[in-house]
Amino acid sequence: MMRRPQWSTSRTNPLDQIIHRFQDRWEMDRHFRATLSGALGLVMIVSLCACMGIVTTVANGALAGVSQARDSGGPQNSNTGTGLIKGVPTFPTATVPPWQQGNPPAAGLIPESQTPMPRPTQEPTATNMPGGPGGPGGFPTTCNGGGQGNSTWAMSPCPQIHGQPGTLTISAPKYPNASLNIVIGFGSCNNCGVIFPPGTYSLDASGNATVSYTVPAAAANSTTPITGMINIGGGPTLSINAAPV
């Protein structure tokens, strides 16, 4: 157990005795310390609130004084002291005199032009195109022909239409049941030819045959006539020369 210190009262003054008693209670009595700490905290909070109240009151008073002084200042004086500018309040404008209408100036007659009148251009004279008789450029315009032994051939339709079916009719009465070897070129394009080797088609007992095919689409608007040959077994070879596709 802690013993309380003993203070001599003969060598100390009353203030020292008060301080010694306070120190003694602070060190020995925890309830005293708790009570005094709470009291000091409360005093500090009250002091801070009082200071804030005082500062707020002073600031509001100062701002109110400034606002009152601004509002009571009255209208601003817009006179700069320079005085009014003396002068004519109107601006002179130049007056345009009225238009005086006069007589138009005399003009002489324009002399007639000596350039002769243009005449219509004479149409060009037609010239024969190379390639022999036929259509433009010497191309044939028909789709049929013949050869020896009263042998004939014909294409339908004429001219042939690209991408559409066509037929080749062959008539050779002197060579019944003869085998046929047929080659047809529809132009200068790629894959524009058809071939029917011997054994594909033959003449019937009357010497007639009809060959069916499809005109290549790439032969459209060809600038080359349709060419080819028809070889009749044991008979003549017929040349094909027809209008372009």
Side-chain angles (χ1 to χ4, degrees), residues 1-226:
M1 181 178 180
M2 184 181 295
R3 298 181 58 188
R4 295 177 181 272
Q6 300 293 327
W7 307 99
S8 176
T9 58
S10 59
R11 298 181 180 179
T12 58
N13 54 31
L15 181 59
D16 291 337
Q17 294 179 5
I18 294 174
I19 293 174
H20 291 161
R21 283 194 297 271
F22 174 80
Q23 183 178 3
D24 181 41
R25 293 191 63 184
W26 182 267
E27 293 177 354
M28 301 303 295
D29 192 350
R30 60 181 181 178
H31 296 288
F32 176 76
R33 290 197 302 271
T35 303
L36 187 58
S37 297
L40 291 176
L42 182 62
V43 171
M44 292 180 65
I45 292 174
V46 173
S47 301
L48 291 175
C49 292
C51 291
M52 290 181 64
I54 294 173
V55 171
T56 301
T57 302
V58 173
N60 290 337
L63 293 176
V66 172
S67 177
Q68 183 178 4
R70 181 189 61 188
D71 296 339
S72 62
Q76 299 293 329
N77 186 9
S78 60
N79 186 8
T80 59
T82 57
L84 297 176
I85 299 176
K86 297 180 179 180
V88 181
T90 59
F91 297 93
T93 304
T95 303
V96 179
W99 173 260
Q100 300 294 331
Q101 184 175 3
N103 297 326
L109 297 177
I110 300 176
E112 295 183 359
S113 175
Q114 302 301 320
T115 305
M117 295 291 293
R119 297 180 180 180
T121 304
Q122 197 173 23
E123 295 183 1
T125 304
T127 57
N128 293 328
M129 299 295 292
F139 295 152
T141 58
T142 60
C143 300
N144 54 68
Q148 299 176 0
N150 296 327
S151 301
T152 61
W153 61 270
M155 285 185 169
S156 178
C158 186
Q160 301 275 278
I161 303 174
H162 66 281
Q164 299 296 323
T167 57
L168 172 63
T169 303
I170 304 169
S171 176
K174 292 185 178 181
Y175 306 97
N177 301 318
S179 64
L180 298 174
N181 181 23
I182 304 171
V183 177
I184 306 175
F186 292 94
S188 58
C189 54
N190 295 329
N191 300 323
C192 282
V194 292
I195 299 176
F196 301 100
T200 306
Y201 285 96
S202 299
L203 297 175
D204 59 13
S206 300
N208 299 319
T210 301
V211 179
S212 300
Y213 52 84
T214 300
V215 180
N221 302 319
S222 176
T223 58
T224 304
I226 298 175

